[in-house]
Amino acid sequence: MRVILADTYYWIAMLNPRDQWHHTALNYGRKHPNIHLVVTDGIIDEVLNYFAEEGIFLRNNALNLCISMKCDRNMEIVPYMPELRQLGFDLYEQRPDKGYSMTDCISMSVMRQMNITEVLTGDRHFQQEGFTILF
């Protein structure tokens, strides 16, 4: 089964009909039903943070999505453990010339650990690290 990291970028596009990538995100999910998605605790946090003040409808949709991730057998949520956080800190420190967020550094570390090469995002930072972005 194909394993892909689903970045915050993807989830925001999925939930927000005003997002420029909304239709692309919806179509990707429809065209590729047999993929295994990986997310991190930080990605879930970012999705909930993004929609916290976007109105009750979108806020509830984000909450329901994040709750459903725990039950989806084609989804894996990688928890932040101290060792993983340290890998993120290390990458963050090693790239002072980049605008990588800490969440992205941890996601990139997870991708390396799990040998994931593709990411559902339009964030070029992943491409700079040698990953294939799918938007």
Side-chain angles (χ1 to χ4, degrees):
M1 182 176 281
R2 190 171 170 197
V3 180
I4 300 172
L5 185 108
D7 186 39
T8 307
Y9 196 104
Y10 171 72
W11 299 112
I12 290 172
M14 284 282 293
L15 290 172
N16 187 352
R18 295 182 313 259
D19 189 284
Q20 68 175 347
W21 294 101
H22 180 70
H23 293 292
T24 302
L26 289 177
N27 288 335
Y28 193 89
R30 289 183 190 125
K31 289 180 183 176
H32 302 91
N34 297 320
I35 56 175
H36 183 79
L37 297 178
V38 173
V39 297
T40 66
D41 281 342
I43 290 169
I44 291 171
D45 292 347
E46 284 188 333
V47 169
L48 293 172
N49 290 341
Y50 180 87
F51 288 105
E53 294 186 19
E54 292 296 312
I56 193 80
F57 179 77
L58 287 175
R59 188 178 197 278
N60 283 339
N61 282 352
L63 180 60
N64 290 333
L65 171 73
C66 292
I67 290 170
S68 72
M69 286 179 181
K70 293 188 281 184
C71 304
D72 189 335
R73 58 186 163 88
N74 288 323
M75 177 86 56
E76 181 175 348
I77 300 171
V78 178
Y80 277 9
M81 303 303 248
E83 301 81 10
L84 181 56
R85 184 169 289 284
Q86 186 60 53
L87 288 172
F89 277 128
D90 293 346
L91 182 58
Y92 190 90
E93 183 179 34
Q94 293 164 9
R95 303 292 190 271
D97 60 323
K98 306 290 185 200
Y100 299 176
S101 71
M102 183 63 179
T103 301
D104 286 350
C105 288
I106 291 173
S107 293
M108 291 172 194
S109 297
V110 166
M111 292 178 73
R112 287 192 178 105
Q113 284 185 326
M114 297 179 72
N115 294 315
I116 299 171
T117 59
E118 298 174 302
V119 56
L120 282 167
T121 193
D123 184 343
R124 302 279 183 225
H125 292 146
F126 286 89
Q127 196 172 41
Q128 290 173 345
E129 284 296 310
F131 299 108
T132 302
I133 60 173
L134 298 176
F135 283 3

